Each structure stands twice: as structure tokens, then as C-alpha cells.
Amino acid sequence: MHPTLLHSVAPPHPAETVHDVDLALEYPRVRDATAILRAPLTAEDCAIQSMPDASPVKWHLAHTSWFFETFVLEARLPGYRTFHPQFRVLFNSYYNAVGDKHPRPERGLLSRPSLDEVFAYRRHVDLGMQALIESGALRDTAVRALVELGLHHEQQHQELILTDVKHMLSRNPLAPAYHRRASLHPTRARSSPDWLGFAGGMTRIGHRGEAFCFDNELPRHRVFLEPFELAASLVTAGEYAEFIEDGGYLRPELWLSEGWETARAARWSSPLYWERTDGARAIFKLSGFDALDTAEPVCHVSYYEADAYARWAGARLPTEAEWEHAVGEKLPAGNFLESGALHPTADTAVEDGLRQCFGDAWEWTSSAYAPYPGYRPAAGAIGEYNGKFMCNQYVLRGGSCATPRSHIRASYRNFFPAAARWQFSGIRLARDA
Amino acid sequence: MHPTLLHSVAPPHPAETVHDVDLALEYPRVRDATAILRAPLTAEDCAIQSMPDASPVKWHLAHTSWFFETFVLEARLPGYRTFHPQFRVLFNSYYNAVGDKHPRPERGLLSRPSLDEVFAYRRHVDLGMQALIESGALRDTAVRALVELGLHHEQQHQELILTDVKHMLSRNPLAPAYHRRASLHPTRARSSPDWLGFAGGMTRIGHRGEAFCFDNELPRHRVFLEPFELAASLVTAGEYAEFIEDGGYLRPELWLSEGWETARAARWSSPLYWERTDGARAIFKLSGFDALDTAEPVCHVSYYEADAYARWAGARLPTEAEWEHAVGEKLPAGNFLESGALHPTADTAVEDGLRQCFGDAWEWTSSAYAPYPGYRPAAGAIGEYNGKFMCNQYVLRGGSCATPRSHIRASYRNFFPAAARWQFSGIRLARDA
Amino acid sequence: MHPTLLHSVAPPHPAETVHDVDLALEYPRVRDATAILRAPLTAEDCAIQSMPDASPVKWHLAHTSWFFETFVLEARLPGYRTFHPQFRVLFNSYYNAVGDKHPRPERGLLSRPSLDEVFAYRRHVDLGMQALIESGALRDTAVRALVELGLHHEQQHQELILTDVKHMLSRNPLAPAYHRRASLHPTRARSSPDWLGFAGGMTRIGHRGEAFCFDNELPRHRVFLEPFELAASLVTAGEYAEFIEDGGYLRPELWLSEGWETARAARWSSPLYWERTDGARAIFKLSGFDALDTAEPVCHVSYYEADAYARWAGARLPTEAEWEHAVGEKLPAGNFLESGALHPTADTAVEDGLRQCFGDAWEWTSSAYAPYPGYRPAAGAIGEYNGKFMCNQYVLRGGSCATPRSHIRASYRNFFPAAARWQFSGIRLARDA
Amino acid sequence: MHPTLLHSVAPPHPAETVHDVDLALEYPRVRDATAILRAPLTAEDCAIQSMPDASPVKWHLAHTSWFFETFVLEARLPGYRTFHPQFRVLFNSYYNAVGDKHPRPERGLLSRPSLDEVFAYRRHVDLGMQALIESGALRDTAVRALVELGLHHEQQHQELILTDVKHMLSRNPLAPAYHRRASLHPTRARSSPDWLGFAGGMTRIGHRGEAFCFDNELPRHRVFLEPFELAASLVTAGEYAEFIEDGGYLRPELWLSEGWETARAARWSSPLYWERTDGARAIFKLSGFDALDTAEPVCHVSYYEADAYARWAGARLPTEAEWEHAVGEKLPAGNFLESGALHPTADTAVEDGLRQCFGDAWEWTSSAYAPYPGYRPAAGAIGEYNGKFMCNQYVLRGGSCATPRSHIRASYRNFFPAAARWQFSGIRLARDA
């Protein structure tokens, strides 16, 4: 993928002002960005599902359109004609209130609709949305909220397109690349972590202000924190390699019990996508196989591995409240989707303070994904967006190299099961002060 | 089991003073209580494992002795002779630091050692412990701590003996009873919940004082709570039946996504041990099948069911901090193991305030089992007791009708995976004030 | 698919003289026939694997080329350049002697090589084969035998392309059709079976003559048969529907024990691809959904169902020796791939004697697939073609509507596990005289 | 077990005259022999099920009584009182015509009825049978046939008691022994196989005469055999060890495809019960661990291993017709249950001709278990005894060291799935003449 292409879809304004921008401009920008992500892929690439957790690209392309059709156009655009009666079931992800859904593990069985038909579906929905927008419907706050939600939803799937394609390509012995990118000169790793201290005390977390956020970021509320420290930057691949060399995957005392069982059953001995070739470590990226740069942040680790690494390092993972408190009012800046790297890059910053807290790799926190005090899911089917997943998942913060820049913010709560490794998930250490 | 027998093993002093009591007296009391629990069972009853989560009674009897042998006698009693060299592996539950362990799902394959041999093992260990105690070793704080831990560990297994036997008996079409007990006259259910209000604010949770506690109850620390309300008593079987009649198991909008999938895959349509016979509801108890008393607390529900019920009732589950704050300095009193009922009983109390918070049924909280700020596991193998399970489990509070009275306290944190139903686990509602 | 296209690839000579025909002419004919089968399919259709038993069309297209490359060109064409070094592993089906193979259930994970690249591979191999043929290499008997085997191998995969595509399309809720075809007027079913008597006695089965056969058809050998009778034609869908109406799937006494367990676990209540729509029976064909023609032969039944049906009908399945003895020297004629129907058609013949013994549907026999007395597999990797599968499979005879006409003969032994249903497999009844 | 005890239950008359013996005498003899087999076992030993294929001894003890109660007493003894209404379901093995059955994998969940109760059940049935016999009911041919069938059924379960107990004990790290038995001096292995030639031609197999046989041994019928050779004695453990040393478990070309997959998935590298201790081979027997005697017949091999060994040895397995033809009219003599060895012993015979064809180890044949031409299962529930298992199983011949002597005959057809290893199953080689 050409970084220039990606760059062209980046919004010209900071994320926190999305609320004020013209959704009429934002809609085509976000939708086009999805289509651009697909550009390097063939129809065959877009049809395949490499594991139940991942979806075919074609499904992502259709489902994001389904979202606008189902939640916006059918309810709000008079005379709107549904594109295909069976798509309501076929591209429903998990909304029980909408009705039946095609089984998730069978998304990869569908050669039809073809990729061309899916793009026709997208165009049909886009024309509908254009008509809706031109009708002035966005003046209705409820409509506006749904469209804005649909765009953020689409951005989530932009990231998933990349992580799911990466997984699919990695399962192919031919190791095809998604995009071309020169190997970088290995960067020089910074030495052992700089610790930044935080006094804790009564603080507040959760989204503030009027701009868009998901319901799980609300309400902003008080929490009490004991004093703590955070590492200034992410754990590097080189540091993680030391953990491996030190028998990290062979020492049960470093692991959560469930993590140890999982790692043994799945025969994990390194992060996902690491390989050994002739003694040297290689890593599969969206640009294909490459030598491991020890200075780059480690990613594609599970919660279990993040936790075990932290224990080995004499530290722990941060809670999400610590993380959000430490980030404070920092605006998102870093290695996002728009950089075109599509891989974490080494921390070469020279300034003091918390670095790499946005972009590069999602940061596992020790916080189970749970409702904030006073949390209320949205009414209706949209209420299924977040709340029903608040069980047996862990919160990740900060976005990754596959996250659109305008999508992330300090209060953003991503979440995955403890065993998930195919996301760009990395590690920041914490410790008690 | 004769309630009188059980009564005879109850300690004559309140739980919170265990620390001051003579461990030399407490040791035989606790050990005998275990043996008494086994009295109604045949050797065949004690050999069988009905599911991987449960263990044969014989294994519990041996493992609790193994604990004293491995952690106390081998290290602290000069000249102690290990009873059998292979028992170190055979009866190791999950201590990786101790070495290999027999696979958990295969505990039921062992007809040998026989139940008689296991009791010989218990006597051998008891003689060793007697020698150790007589040697004055309890004056050593470390030894004292290990012995005390061993006794609390044994009490945990007393409860598991009852829940595991109940499960095993329930899988037998002959529905054998563990003990005999007259059916109670159905009690009259109290009407819809009395709500008790709590102002919240800065509070502290965690164990205080010098008496025994597990490491996961420490350190006592500050938390901030928003105002909340708790139901004065536990959800009754009758109230839960209303949830079922209202389609509770058929309405996905009431459930966590994972709970819905679990319930559908396992075809749950009621709590564990509920049956329908000729239109009437029956329930399998340790005393055999009985008509359901709608006034008794519902139990044997999973976290998923507790959460779904709460949502249906327009409420939520309490956090463990709310629960502990509300209980405050209340001393454990209620329907414990020693009552001999071995089943939750209806709330017939007339006093105001929080009722049934100890005994009857463990209360699911919405809190994922996680370390308290500043938590440090014990050093060595004993450090595996709690910390390594702090992942994908939920905290339960208050003890049950199968918990020894001297075992529980307000700060006690029990924990089970969200799908577990074979414990005496029930529901107390909470809501935002 | 246009029948005319198919017709154009039918060899102009009867199958039994293949041996004498010019392989130089036969090679492009068979190879083109494979490509023509693919014509109605998109690249996406060709990439998907709908179950481990089935393979993506793309894989079939590549594997058949791999066969010529690996077993003919690499050994016999000086200077042959392998198309791609990794294809040796990627498209090896099950030849351990050739080396590693890509795991069968993961054939559907490969978006690359693209369908275009696979066709480039086919052309590369075809050019190599053309060079080999022009070099006069076919005068070498060993080369000739390998090429002939390769062509019969390719024909087997032509049938699999159709059965595998049918399965994949059937899993798509949109029910796409492979080809268009007018619904036939329902034909009138013949009445209950005409029984044809055979005296049995000493006879011979196995391939005779010089023409091509697979090693499993040899050696021709003596067998002794008791007198028996065979039904003149195949069991019809209407007859099978009577079995269903009579509780066929609900009566364990009609079933093999393993069949009963399989049918219950998989919830079978009809042949594969039968559906009920508004009370009427519909059937999914390669031409899409259609009303069930009760006069057409039933197909897509497992061995278990064929056996249960036969027991219900007071009959049994024939042994393969009975079948081959009864067919005798009949030449293959019937509803094959070339007819373009791609579905069994009703028996409308008026002549006496055994009908439908070739084409329409493979006929399950009661014979376990086993070596003939004196069987010797070929030397080397080619020896893995048949012999190693002679365990827990049952022999089917006669070919189907998806079998190329020139591929079948009276001694041909097809074989599948008892639970397989996605082949065009039907039923002919037998009974003791 | 004391061999003398076993000896006392051996019938004083040759097996082939069972038909003429007094069933009134035979009944208590066979029933007592079952009870004697149980003598060395505790109630705990008898309650456990070590895998779904095996049953608890207690279940065998009850099920054999259930057979007489269900098929004889309930129908034929006026006024017979069923021992326990639920036993009809609990101890039904697989007779669908009798009604429901307790799930096979859950036989080990039943601590009740206790072993004592099961023996009370046996006595109750025995008293009923005594009354029936004294009433003269045996003069009725149908009754006589059922009683005789019940006794042969009981003998089958005698063998299963031993193989199932052996498996259960082997899964116990304490390796308890069923009986005590001195290690034999290693015997000297005979050199490579003596081949015995057979001319083949038209022959007959199947039971002849009036004495008892199972329905699957009928009808006696003609088969044609090509000339063949059989090894005079069974493959020894030493010969099998050579196969292992020669990479037998690492060379796919020696294996059936399904066998290779099974062996790799289960990580087989030797017969069941073989272990390596300090470089030497040990073997678990019913008498505990012992050094491997290389001269003893190998046993506890699957069909896959038997087949692979034969291929490695340049031979094949015999068909069941070859085996039966070769054995001819030989009467059963050999190392049976009554010898008390409960393990195959070396062939030390000096006479020429076929040796070890009875006793020691069941001999895998290459014949799939199928009905003989003209086979008719018995009417009613008893018809489920054999016929419904004629699918995906292989025939074994000759009996083993755990088979009662009076139970076996030349026409006897045992059958197990190809992967079964817990029976005393061994190998005799065959080859084309």
C-alpha cells in the first residue's frame, strides 16, 4: 500500500474535534479509506477466513455497509430500497435484536456475493447515505449520532482488515506481502526502562467533553489510585527476546495458571509471527518476512505473555485507570495507520515523559473489561455494541500502527480475550511506587 | 450425615479469634471434621470423579494431608518419613514448584491407593503433625503460618467434598442421597427486595487485624465508591422461577454474549439441579430430590445467569468492594456447614439490615478476580496458592451452607470461572443509588 | 455449464479402447475438459474449501498438474524447469514418498497462488508435456503408463471438482447455481423393483485385457458366488421418501450401530441436499434448488443410509463381486458428465436387464475396500495411489452423472468412508435368491 | 488370582460338546467363574471406568445378570420379580429394542448400586434361574437357546473384565497388579517363521454341527481360496522389537494411511503396555511390570500395527477364510484363561503344523467384519447381538490367554475396530503361495 494513498484519507483536523466537523465530509473520507485498504488485495485474498476470530476482508467491506443500511437508512431514509434481502442475515455480526445471523466460523464459505457485488452494495449504501445527508437529516441529533457511530465502527473494521489479512497471509507458505516496504536500518534500542512516577490519589477517568466516544468510555467517574510508576516506552522486541532466552516460556512460576496451560497446549515459544531461520530471528510483517529489529516494540503477544513478561521483569501491567491518568490530556500522535508503516517502529524520541502511548501497539492493561460505575448501554440493537462483551476480556489502550489516527483517544477502551495474539498488542510495564 | 456430628466439630469460639486459639487444638478439630464429612460415603462413592472440575473425595482426603506433609513435615520435622514416594506427584494439585502432578482429569482413574490406605496416610501425617506440635515448633511463626494455612486449606476442601459429591450423586439415575433430612414446610417468600442504601465515598477493603487471612485479601487499601444500594436478602428460587417463566433463558438481550453462547451450547434452561417432574419443579439436594421451596435462595447458578437475572430485574450485581463495604464489621453468622442443612434456607429474619450475607449461598460479584494494589504473593510454592489464578474468574463473597463457619470472614474472596455452577452460588442484587 | 461444451471434450471412441488411442491426442482433451469445468466459476469460487473432505477447485487444478510435473516431467523430460519450488509441497495430496505436504484442512487458506497463476502453472506443465510427447517419450512403456495414469487421475479430479463445488455452493445461503438447466417435467416412477436373477457359482472379477486400469482392479481372480438377485434399476427418490415417511430415520433396528450413532449425532433426516420448503421436498442441485423428482435415483446417501434403506426394503446391498458379475461385459453407457445434466435422471429405459448400472449415481456395495488376492501396489510413490486406503472404506461401483464417460468400466472400484455423502452415491438393492 | 481357583471353574468336558452338556450344571459353573475373576479386586477397583471403550467390572457383573433377567426371566419365569426397576436402563448395553440405555461413557459415574448390591442382584437372578431350571423350562428349545447364549455372553464379559481391569490398572502410576505371578525365565525365541503351505481351492467356512455358535458364524458356506501360506506360530515380541528398531513407527510407506494418521496423532511408538525403563523394555501385565520376554507373542497391537508389521516382514495378514480353512477341525487347546497366566507365553511346542492358533493372543485377520452369504440375525432384541456391528471392524480369530477355553472354536469370529489395542490382540503372518 502506498503511504501517500493512506495519507490522503487522514482527516485534516485533530481527532478531538471530530464532533464539530462536517459529517458530510467525513463520511466519504472514512468510506474511501476502507476501499483503499483493499486495493492491494485480489478477490481471492478478500474471500478467505483463516480462523474463526478473523473475518474475510469481503465480509468487513459488506458488514460496515450493512451497519449504515440497517441502523440508518432503513429507519431514516424514506423510500430506501434494501440492496439484497438476505444481506440482513449474512452480514449481521452479532446483533440479536436485528434477527438471525450467519455463523461466524462460516463467513469464509461464501464465494458469493462476489467482491464486485460487495462493492456494488457499498455504492448503493453510499448513494443512500448521500441522499440522506443531502436531505438535511444530519440536523437530527439521533441520526447524527448513528452516522458518527457508523464511521467509528468502520474505522474499527479498517484495523481488523489489516490484522485479519495479516493472519491469512501468514498461514500461506508462500508468505505473500500485503505491501512493499524497504527494511529499515536496525535502530538502536534504548537501554532498560525509564520509569516515570505518578502520585496517584483521587482522579477521574472516562471520556470528557462533547466529542464522540463509545458508550463504554462513560460515565467519567472518580477513581482512587495508589502511587505508581510507568515505563516511559514500550517493551522492545530485544527485551522480549531476553525473556525468551532466559527460559520465559519454560518457567511456570512466571505465568498465570491459565496462561501456562494455554501456552503449553498451543506450543507457544515466542510472539505470533516470530520465526527462527538459520539461528536468526525473523518476523512476518504485512510487508513479508524481515529480520527482527530488536529496537522495535514487541507486539502480537497475548495478555498471558504480557503478564508473564512483566513478572519476569519484576514489574506488572498497568491498570487502565493508571494508564489513562498518566496519559492525561495528551493528544494522539504517533505511528498510526496513516504512516503507512503498518508495523511498530522503534522509540527514537528524545523528549522526556510518556512516549509511544498512542500508535505502534495496543497496550495490555491488567483491567478486566467491565462497565464503569453508572454505565448505561444505548437503547435498542445499538446497545449490543459494547456492553454484552464485558466478560472475560482485558482492556487495551492507545491504538496501534493499524489504527486510524482520528479513531483513538485517551479514554478509548479496546478489549480482547487474554489469549488473542493477532492484534498489534504490546506491553508497557508498570510498578508500585 | 447427622447434624449432631457436624455440630460437634464446630469450634467453640468465633472465627475472628482463630488466630489466638491454640493451633494444637484446632488441628485435630479441623482434620476430624473432614473425616466426619466422609462418614456417609462408601469407598466406591469416594473413588469416582464426575467431571474434570470435581475431584474424588478420596483425592481431597489425600491432598489435604499431602499439603501438611509437603509444606510442613518434610521441611520442618526432623526425621519425618514420607508415607509413599509417589504421593508427592499423585496428590499435588497445581504446585509447579513442587514438581510433576498427576493430570487433574485422571484423578478418577485411581482405584489405588484405596480409601483405607488414604486414611492410613492421614493418620501418618497426623502423627507427624502431633510430633511437630509437641516439639514446640508452633512457636516458630513461619511454621505456625503454614499450619494455619493448611487448616484453612483443609476447610476449603471440606466444602469441595460436599459440592463434588453432590455433583457425582446427581449424575446417577438412582439419585442417591448423601444424608437424610426431612423436607421443610415451604416457607413464605418475602416480597420484592428491600433495598438498603449506602453513601459510598472513600472507604477501605481488605483484611484488617492480625488474624489469619489468605494473601489475596491483602493489602487493605482505599477504594472510592459511588452511592449504591444492595438488596437486603438473596434472590429466592421463586423470584428466579419468575425470570424463567418470563423467558429469561430465551432472550439474548438479557445476557452477556459469552453467557448466551454458553447457555445455548449447554442447553441450560434453569439452575443446575433443577428438574421438572409432572409440571412441578423439583430440586436435587444432598438429601435427594425434593420439591422446590420458592422461598429458599436460588443457588447453583453461573455468573452468566446471575448477571442475566440482575439485568432482567432492572438491577446489577454488586462489586466486591460494595459488598465488603456494606458488610462492614459484621461477624459471620448464618446457615453454614455446621447447621447440617447442607442447603440454603429461606430468609426468615425480621431484623432490618443486610441479611444472609454469610452462609446459605456464595454471592457472585461483578468483580473480576484481580490482585489488590500492592498485592504480593507468598514466596515459594505457597505463592501459587492464589495469585496465579487471577485471570478470567469472578469473585464470590460470603460463604455458603457448605462452608465451615470458622472459615469465612467479610474480606474473604472466593473465585470461580463464570460458567461454574456446581458450587452453592447465588445472587444478591445491587443498583446505583 | 453448456452441455455442448462438455460434449466437445468427450472422446470419440469407447472407453475400453483408450489404451490403443493416441495419448498425444488424449492428453489435451482431458486437460481441456478440466479447464472447461472451471469456466462457470469465479476466482473466489475456486479458492474456498467448504469442509476438510473437499478441496478448493484451484487446488484440484494445480494438483492434477503437479501429478504430471512430479511423476513425469521431473523424471523424464531433460532440462525441465520446475514451475515453483514450493508447489511440490503445496499441491502434494498424500504421497509421503514425495516429501512433505500442506495440511489438507488448510487448502482453503491459500489465496495465493491466484487462479491466474494456477492456470499459468497448468500451461507450463502442458508445454512440458507437449515437449515430452514430441520427443517420442511415449514409446517408453513406463512413461506411457504414467501419462495414462495421470489422465485417469485428472478425470477423478474432474468429478471431485463438481462434487466439491456443489458442497461449497450448498453452504451458501444464497444457494448459487453452478449451471443453468430447465427443470424437467417430473417423470413417472417405475413401480417396485424388477428383480433379476443370477445363478452365481465360480466366476471371475477384476480387470481383464490390456487397456488401462488402476492397480486395485487386479489381479483378475476367481470368486464363488451363491445365487442372488439384483434390482434392475436404482432406488428412486420417491422410494426413499417412503422410507423416510415410514420413520426410517427414527428406527434403530434398521441401522448399523455406527450408522445410527452417526445419523443421530449429525441429525440426519434425509439425504444430503434435501430440504423441506412449505411442506414440499426440494433438492439442491448444481443448477440450484428444484422440486424433487420422485422418479430420479436417490443420491447423496451414506453407506449407512443405503444399508438401512435396504434392510427396510427387505433386501441388502450387493457385494462388489455380485455387481461385477452381473454387469459382465456391458460397456459403459448412461448419464455421465458429458450429458451435461450433472444430476441423476429417471430410468426411462424399456429394455429388460440391468439398467442404470453406469452413470447417474455410484452404487454402494457391501464390500469393504480390500486388496484382491495377489494384489501388488505399484513400486515407488505411485504405489501410494490406492493400496494405503484399503481400510474402513466401502466400494462403490458404476460411476455417476459427474464421472467422465471414458473413465469408468465394469471393474472400476471407487471407495469412500461409510459416512461420506457429498459424492453422487446411490443404492441398488440385492437379495439372496 | 490363584490359577487353582481358575482351574476349578474350567468345564470338565471339551468345548464342542457344550451343546450336549447339562445347562443346569453349566449355568452355575460359568456364573461362578465370573465371580472368581472379581475376587482379587476391591469395590473401588470395580467401580472405575478408564476409557469409554472399557466398562467398570461392576457394570460387567450387573450387565451379565441383566441379560438373563431381561431375555430369560422376565419372559419365561412366571411371577418373576424384577430386582430393581431402573436396572433395565442402567445395565442395558446396546439393545435399542429393550428401550433406553445409560450412556456408555458414563458407566463409571455410578458409585451406586454398590458392589454388594450388584452381587445381591446376581444372587437374585441366579435364584430365578435356578427356579426356571428346576421348573423344567430348559426342555423348551427357545429357552435353552437363550440360556446357552447368556452363558456364552457371560464368558465374553469374563474376558472383558480382564482386559478392562488391565487397562484401568495401567493408567494408575502405582501400577498395581491384578494377580501375583513369578517372572518366567526368558524363553528362547524360535527363529524366523516356519511357513506352512495350503493349496486352497473350494472350501467351506462357518460353524458346522449342532453345538452352540453365534449367529455371525452362520451359515456355513463355500469360499474359493488361492494357494497361501501361514506362519506356524505367532509373531514374537522380539520380532516386533526388530520392526521398531528398524524404524517401523517412523516409515509411512509401511502403513495404511489411516493407521499412519492414527499412530502419529496418538504418538504410538510400541504396542500398548510396553515401556522403556533405563534403556530396557518392560511390559505391564496383569501381574504388574515385568521385563519383556522376547520369545512371547507380541500382543496389544492394533490392526494398523499388525498390518504395518506384516508389510515390513514382506508378508500380509491372513483372511479369516484362510485362517479357518487352515485350522480345520483342530480342537481348541492352548494358553487360555484357565492356565492362570493371563499373558501370552512363548511357543515351545515341538510338533509341526499350526501352533498357537488357539489361546495366547487373538489374531487379526485382514477380513472386514461382514455378514456371511445368507446371514440372518436372530429375531427380536437378540438380533442386535452381532449384525448391527458389521461395519468398520476387523475379524480376529482364535481366542487369547483371557478367553475361557470352552468359549472358543475354529469358526468363532471376534471383531474390533482397527485402532483397538486393549484386547490381547496379536499377529500371525500369511503370504501368497
Side-chain angles (χ1 to χ4, degrees), chain D residues 155 170 280 340 416 421:
Chain D
Q155 287 183 312
S170 80
F416 277 95
R421 311 210 301 169

Side-chain angles (χ1 to χ4, degrees), chain D residues 93-163:
Chain D
S93 52
Y94 54 65
Y95 296 86
N96 290 306
V98 171
D100 287 341
K101 52 186 191 288
H102 191 63
R104 180 175 188 126
E106 299 181 15
R107 291 176 183 168
L109 299 187
L110 308 176
S111 61
R112 323 282 179 91
S114 70
L115 185 58
D116 285 346
E117 288 166 318
V118 165
F119 272 103
Y121 180 33
R122 289 184 69 85
R123 281 191 302 274
H124 179 85
V125 167
D126 287 345
L127 287 173
M129 287 299 295
Q130 188 179 331
L132 180 103
I133 289 167
E134 289 173 359
S135 76
L138 291 180
R139 284 191 296 269
D140 178 333
T141 313
V143 173
R144 190 173 169 79
L146 284 168
V147 173
E148 201 165 21
L149 179 62
L151 292 175
H152 283 273
H153 171 259
E154 181 121 4
Q155 287 183 312
Q156 291 182 312
H157 283 276
Q158 287 168 5
E159 178 152 5
L160 291 172
I161 285 172
L162 290 169
T163 55

Side-chain angles (χ1 to χ4, degrees), chain B residues 191-204:
Chain B
S191 55
S192 56
D194 294 335
W195 291 101
L196 307 174
F198 298 88
M202 280 298 295
T203 185
R204 284 174 192 268

